[in-house]
Amino acid sequence: MDGKLVERARRELAGAEPQEILRWALERFQRIALSFSGAEDVVLVDMAVRIRPDVAVFSLDTGRLHPETYRFLERVREHYGIALEVLFPDAAEVEALVRERGLYSFYREGHKACCAVRKVAPLRRRLAGLDAWVTGQRRDQSPTRAAVPVVELDAAFSQPDRPLVKVNPLAEWSSAQVWAYIRAHDVPYNALHARGYVSIGCEPCTRPVLPHQHEREGRWWWEDAREKECGLHAGNLAANG
Amino acid sequence: MARVTMVKKVLADGRPCRKCAEVEARLRGEGLWSRIHRVVVADERDPEGEGWRLARRHGIATAPFFLVEDGDGTVRVYTAYLRLLREVLRPAAAVSALDLLEAHPELDFV
C-alpha cells in the first residue's frame, strides 16, 4: 500500500467508528498485529477479537512495568483466549545500559535512551515482519499526537522497499468514549486506572494524575522543566527572567 | 563537501542546554564531531550574539540546530539530529532505536 492508497483510505474512513476502521484493516492485511500497552487500549483487543478471533496481539515488556500491568496482561490473555505475544528487549543491550548508566538513569539523563533499548528496539524487531500494525493512539493523549490520522504510512518504521501501514482506530475518540465502551461491554481494565493512573507505562516513569490534570503529566513529569531550557526564543533569555 | 555549522545554546549559568550537550556527546561518541566545521553559541547572557541572530534569521525556536552550506552557497537548516545524520553526516548508516525515538516523539506512548 502506497501513500496514495493510504490517503484514499483516510478519506473513506473519515468519521468511521473504530470498529469499522479495525474491520477495514483486519480484512485488508494478513500480516497485521495489534499493539497492546496494558492500558485502556484494551478496547481495541475487545473490538478486534469480535472481528478476527485469532488476531495477533503483542505487548512490550520493558522489564519495568507495574505488577498490576503484568497481572492485567495475563487476565486479557485468559479473558479473550488470545495468544498474547510478550516482547522483551535484547538482554545484552539492557545489561550494557544498566552497566553504563545505572537502573535509574532516566531521572538524570532523560527517558529516551532507556525507552530506545527497552521499547523501541523490540518494537522495531516485531514490526519488521508486518505490513500493518494497529495502535491505540488518540489525539487527546498528548501534544505529539494531536494530528494522529486514522490510517498513515508509518514514518518511523517503513522502509524504502517495504512500507508499513499504521492504523489508529481510536484517533478520533476521546478518553470518555473509551471508558464508556469499557463500561458498556464489561471490558476488563488495568487496576491502576482505579488508583488515578491514566496513561500507564513503566513503574518508575508513571504516576497518577489529579482530576483535570492532563494525562501527559503522569509520564516523565520531571523532564518538563528541563525541556524548556533548549528553547531559542525571547522567553528563554536571562534578561527576561 | 558541505560545511556544517552547529548552533548550540548556553544557559545563563554558563552550562550548555541539555539537548545540546546530548547531541554533542553523540556526535563525538559516533566519531562525527570532525564533520562539524564550526560551532556558534547562542548564549542567554548575550541575546544579540551570533547564535541568537542565526536563530532569528532562520526562524528556529529550539537548540541545537545545524546550518549546512553546500558548495553553491545554498544553506539548509536542520533542527532534527536524525535528519542531519541521515541526509548529511552518514546517509548509508542504519538508524538506531534512539535516533528513531528522538525523531518520532509519538513513540513515547507506545
Side-chain angles (χ1 to χ4, degrees), chain B residues 3-7 36-40 54 65-68:
Chain B
R3 283 184 58 82
V4 183
T5 298
M6 177 182 185
V7 180
I36 306 301
H37 297 87
R38 186 166 172 251
V39 177
V40 175
L54 287 171
F65 68 93
F66 298 87
L67 303 174
V68 178

Side-chain angles (χ1 to χ4, degrees), chain B residues 25-95:
Chain B
R26 293 185 65 190
L27 284 164
R28 290 182 186 279
E30 293 172 28
L32 296 168
W33 186 244
S34 62
R35 301 283 307 279
I36 306 301
H37 297 87
R38 186 166 172 251
V39 177
V40 175
V41 167
D43 192 319
E44 283 192 337
R45 298 161 295 188
D46 180 18
E48 296 308 317
E50 186 181 2
W52 289 97
R53 287 203 308 273
L54 287 171
R56 284 193 291 269
R57 183 190 308 164
H58 294 284
I60 303 300
T62 55
F65 68 93
F66 298 87
L67 303 174
V68 178
E69 188 176 346
D70 295 318
D72 62 0
T74 308
V75 176
R76 288 171 285 153
V77 184
Y78 290 84
T79 53
Y81 176 67
L82 178 59
R83 271 194 63 217
L84 181 78
L85 201 63
R86 275 177 168 168
E87 296 180 14
V88 180
L89 299 181
R90 223 173 42 188
V95 174

Side-chain angles (χ1 to χ4, degrees), chain A residues 202-216:
Chain A
C202 290
E203 184 275 333
C205 302
T206 308
R207 67 177 180 180
V209 293
L210 294 168
H212 307 300
Q213 262 189 313
H214 193 275
E215 63 184 81
R216 176 65 178 84

Side-chain angles (χ1 to χ4, degrees), chain A residues 119 124 229-232 236, chain B residues 9 18 44 61 63 95 108-109:
Chain A
K119 204 162 66 173
R124 176 157 66 173
E229 71 176 17
C230 300
L232 280 176
N236 295 113
Chain B
K9 182 176 173 181
R18 176 187 58 82
E44 283 192 337
V95 174
D108 264 347
F109 291 88

Side-chain angles (χ1 to χ4, degrees), chain A residues 60 109 111-112 115-116 119 124 145 155-157 199 216 219-220 226-227 229-233 236-238, chain B residues 9 11 17-19 22 44 47 52 60-63 65 95 97-98 100-101 104 106-110:
Chain A
L60 301 165
E109 302 166 13
H111 69 281
K112 291 193 188 305
C115 278
K119 204 162 66 173
R124 176 157 66 173
R145 292 187 168 182
F157 298 107
S199 177
R216 176 65 178 84
R219 300 286 289 276
W220 309 295
R226 302 170 69 209
E227 293 294 339
E229 71 176 17
C230 300
L232 280 176
H233 37 79
N236 295 113
L237 289 170
Chain B
K9 182 176 173 181
L11 305 174
C17 78
R18 176 187 58 82
K19 186 79 178 173
E22 283 175 7
E44 283 192 337
W52 289 97
I60 303 300
T62 55
F65 68 93
V95 174
L98 181 56
L100 273 179
L101 189 52
H104 300 279
E106 73 277 9
L107 290 173
D108 264 347
F109 291 88
V110 167

Side-chain angles (χ1 to χ4, degrees), chain A residues 123-136:
Chain A
L123 176 64
R124 176 157 66 173
R125 203 167 57 234
R126 181 65 179 90
L127 297 180
L130 298 178
D131 297 321
W133 66 306
V134 181
T135 85

